[in-house]
């Protein structure tokens, strides 16, 4: 099992490339189940989660192989395979997004019910309710969702939930609807850029979707979808992580490929913290010259502040000049990183869904343990600024969502290295 060892205190400087968005690639890969003919995806990052999805697609009768330069080519070979096994689904909750395209294209599915998650409950009831609203028949048996879509037709679907719309639920219903006869109206659809990218990919295959980028989607079913070539969007969460790394180290970093139009809430938060954020021809330049100012952050559905950057911003606010309040309204239990940051001398008090962060003069390097994907990124960010050595254990979590993070940070001047103690990664590791 690998670890990251970080000698903190070095301001990051230089340029770094942002990879393709993991959260966009995964549903787009699932959507290739719908295509008649090969699909070629460009800008696909080399991540564990992508490898897992490719294995699932092969189980479902697709050829799915990586090519040179971050390309992936998929093509349906055996359309009779409809079972996504527990052994694979348990390692990645995003595997559930094969349910929609299986129903839309093959009219049946057997998908393992996803398990628990360390960041709190992440139910799929909205997924199932949305598909049932289209006329699918679903039941849970032996830990699997058994679904029949032969009677599906275009209808109205509402996807609102207690914590806002469901992102992967929107993707599932959208992928089921594009080949379903009639007109489907999806109300309170998620508006995240990753959902928009999926919708545009489907349109490139021949789907008819109106209202892309809005909470009101109108889908007119078509008879078939063709294969296509598509370049996925840049990963706004990776870009935001590098922004916090530049801020906490008082650095000067240009993040090539970052799209500020997708990050308005993130940019606003950084500017409140006294960090300079400027658009440039390459992407975005982030400079932090003075001590971090305290601010309040509330996670919300897009275009609000993303929950996937909550932990990284909390780490940065640990050295702010005053008190900050971080409120989690998407996953109220997503605070497992608090205890590990406290090991690094952070002063954080949790009260319900809010963490009160009292800024300190400096963080102290310590051995810490990653609990999930974004928590591991937060610990790396904290370690970059801490006095002394920080060792981040269980970095298989970070490998799920960040492509060669230690190499990219090293290119910015960070003193970071990966070491291995040769312990196997748990087969069911999931964030």
């Amino acid at each position: 099992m690998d670890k990251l060892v970080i000698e903190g205190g070095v301001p990051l400087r230089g340029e770094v490339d942002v990879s393709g968005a993991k959260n966009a690639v995964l549903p787009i890969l699932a959507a290739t189940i719908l295509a008649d003919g090969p699909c070629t995806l460009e800008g696909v990052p080399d991540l564990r989660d992508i490898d897992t999805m490719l294995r699932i697609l092969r189980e479902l009768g697709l050829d799915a192989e990586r090519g040179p330069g971050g390309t992936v080519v998929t093509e349906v070979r055996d359309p009779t395979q409809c079972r996504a096994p527990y052994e694979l689904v348990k390692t990645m909750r995003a595997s559930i997004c094969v349910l929609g395209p299986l129903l839309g294209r093959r009219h049946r599915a057997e998908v393992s019910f996803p398990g628990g998650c360390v960041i709190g409950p992440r139910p799929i009831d909205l997924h199932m309710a949305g598909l049932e609203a289209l006329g699918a028949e679903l039941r849970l048996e032996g830990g699997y969702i058994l679904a029949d879509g032969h009677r599906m037709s275009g209808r109205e679907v509402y996807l609102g939930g207690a914590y806002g719309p469901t992102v992967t639920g929107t993707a599932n219903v959208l992928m089921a609807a594009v080949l379903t006869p009639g007109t489907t109206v999806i109300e309170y659809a998620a508006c995240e850029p990753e959902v928009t990218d999926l919708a545009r990919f489907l349109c490139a295959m021949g789907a008819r979707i109106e209202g892309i980028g809005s909470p009101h989607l109108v889908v007119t079913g078509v008879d078939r979808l063709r294969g296509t070539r598509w370049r996925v969007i840049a990963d706004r969460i990776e870009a935001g992580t590098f922004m916090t790394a530049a801020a906490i180290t008082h650095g000067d970093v240009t993040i090539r490929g970052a799209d500020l139009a997708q990050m308005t809430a993130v940019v606003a938060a950084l500017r409140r913290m006294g960090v300079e954020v400027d658009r440039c021809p390459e992407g975005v330049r982030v400079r932090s010259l003075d001590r971090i100012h305290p601010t309040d952050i509330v996670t919300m559905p897009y275009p609000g502040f993303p929950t996937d950057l909550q932990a990284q911003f909390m780490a940065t606010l640990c050295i702010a000049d005053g008190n900050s309040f971080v409120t989690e309204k998407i996953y109220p239990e997503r605070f497992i990183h608090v205890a590990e940051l406290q090991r690094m001398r952070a002063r954080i008090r949790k009260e319900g869904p809010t963490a009160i962060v009292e800024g300190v003069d400096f963080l102290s390097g310590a051995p810490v343990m990653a609990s999930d994907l974004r928590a591991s990124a937060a610990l790396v960010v904290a370690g970059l600024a801490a006095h002394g050595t920080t060792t981040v254990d269980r970095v298989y979590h970070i490998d799920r969502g960040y492509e060669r993070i230690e190499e990219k940070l090293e290119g910015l001047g960070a003193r970071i290295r990966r070491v291995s103690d040769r312990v196997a990664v748990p087969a069911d590791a999931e964030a």
Side-chain angles (χ1 to χ4, degrees):
M1 191 181 300
D2 289 356
K3 303 177 181 180
L4 291 178
V5 180
I6 307 166
E7 301 291 336
V10 179
L12 301 187
R13 302 189 186 281
E15 299 183 351
V16 64
D17 291 313
V18 64
S19 299
K22 173 184 82 81
N23 291 340
V25 174
L26 292 173
I28 286 175
L29 280 170
T32 66
I33 293 170
L34 299 164
D36 291 336
C39 290
T40 301
L41 306 182
E42 300 175 347
V44 178
D46 186 7
L47 302 173
R48 285 186 59 209
D49 276 10
I50 304 300
D51 291 337
T52 298
M53 181 59 80
L54 295 179
R55 291 174 63 193
I56 292 172
L57 291 180
R58 294 180 193 121
E59 289 283 334
L60 295 173
L62 278 73
D63 288 341
E65 302 297 336
R66 288 187 179 275
T71 61
V72 167
V73 179
T74 71
E75 186 169 8
V76 176
R77 294 299 185 188
D78 182 1
T80 66
Q81 302 301 313
C82 296
R83 183 179 179 87
Y86 169 74
E87 291 72 20
L88 294 176
V89 174
K90 70 177 181 180
T91 68
M92 184 183 68
R93 290 186 60 85
S95 307
I96 193 66
C97 64
V98 301
L99 180 59
L102 284 175
L103 282 173
R105 184 69 178 86
R106 303 178 186 178
H107 308 304
R108 67 184 184 89
E110 299 179 17
V111 180
S112 175
F113 197 89
C117 181
V118 296
I119 68 173
R122 299 169 73 179
I124 63 166
D125 54 329
L126 292 176
H127 299 232
M128 299 179 70
L131 294 171
E132 287 175 333
L134 290 177
E137 298 177 2
L138 284 74
R139 71 181 192 276
L140 186 63
E141 183 177 303
Y144 279 77
I145 301 168
L146 306 183
D148 186 326
H150 285 88
R151 297 183 180 179
M152 292 197 310
S153 61
R155 303 177 189 179
E156 292 188 1
V157 180
Y158 177 74
L159 291 178
Y163 301 109
T166 166
V167 175
T168 50
T170 299
N172 255 329
V173 173
L174 185 59
M175 289 185 283
V178 288
L179 289 178
T180 295
T183 299
T184 297
V185 178
I186 305 174
E187 295 288 5
Y188 209 14
C191 300
E192 273 71 5
E194 296 78 13
V195 174
T196 296
D197 203 39
L198 169 65
R200 289 173 175 162
F201 171 72
L202 292 169
C203 288
M205 290 199 295
R208 296 175 60 188
I209 306 170
E210 300 175 22
I212 295 175
S214 80
H216 177 83
L217 298 176
V218 180
V219 184
T220 303
V222 297
D223 293 333
R224 62 181 295 272
L225 296 176
R226 59 184 176 272
T228 190
R229 178 179 289 269
W230 190 257
R231 173 167 288 276
V232 300
I233 59 173
D235 195 322
R236 62 192 173 103
I237 304 303
E238 184 191 26
T241 301
F242 285 125
M243 289 177 174
T244 59
I248 198 171
T249 63
H250 302 293
D252 184 347
V253 175
T254 297
I255 304 165
R256 293 192 294 252
D259 186 353
L260 282 189
Q262 299 175 354
M263 307 180 70
T264 52
V266 172
V267 172
L270 284 168
R271 287 174 175 161
R272 293 197 305 269
M273 294 160 63
V275 179
E276 297 181 12
V277 183
D278 298 297
R279 194 186 306 272
C280 63
E282 299 84 1
V284 58
R285 184 181 181 186
V286 180
R287 289 174 288 180
S288 179
L289 306 178
D290 301 314
R291 187 164 182 189
I292 299 295
H293 303 327
T295 193
D296 296 344
I297 288 174
V298 181
T299 66
M300 299 178 68
Y302 186 84
F305 191 92
T307 179
D308 281 349
L309 284 173
Q310 178 253 106
Q312 300 91 308
F313 268 74
M314 183 184 295
T316 307
L317 291 169
C318 286
I319 61 167
D321 188 16
N323 294 343
S324 302
F325 295 80
V326 179
T327 301
E328 178 59 69
K329 287 194 172 183
I330 306 299
Y331 300 117
E333 298 179 33
R334 196 175 198 173
F335 287 113
I336 297 179
H337 48 280
V338 167
E340 299 303 302
L341 289 171
Q342 289 170 335
R343 290 177 53 80
M344 301 178 70
R345 201 173 168 268
R347 294 179 183 173
I348 307 171
R349 185 174 76 256
K350 183 175 175 293
E351 294 187 1
T354 298
I356 303 169
V357 185
E358 180 183 348
V360 297
D361 291 336
F362 64 92
L363 295 173
S364 177
V368 291
M369 184 177 296
S371 57
D372 65 72
L373 170 56
R374 305 308 174 183
S376 61
L379 297 176
V380 170
V381 168
L384 292 170
H387 292 187
T389 303
T390 298
T391 302
V392 183
D393 202 355
R394 294 187 177 180
V395 295
Y396 56 82
H397 287 298
I398 207 166
D399 292 337
R400 291 184 51 241
Y402 291 89
E403 185 177 35
R404 304 186 312 275
I405 190 169
E406 73 277 11
E407 295 178 22
K408 290 185 177 184
L409 290 172
E410 191 175 29
L412 295 173
R415 294 177 295 194
I416 181 172
R417 68 184 190 278
R418 181 181 290 253
V419 299
S420 177
D421 57 12
R422 299 184 180 180
V423 175
V425 174
D428 60 349
E430 190 225 339

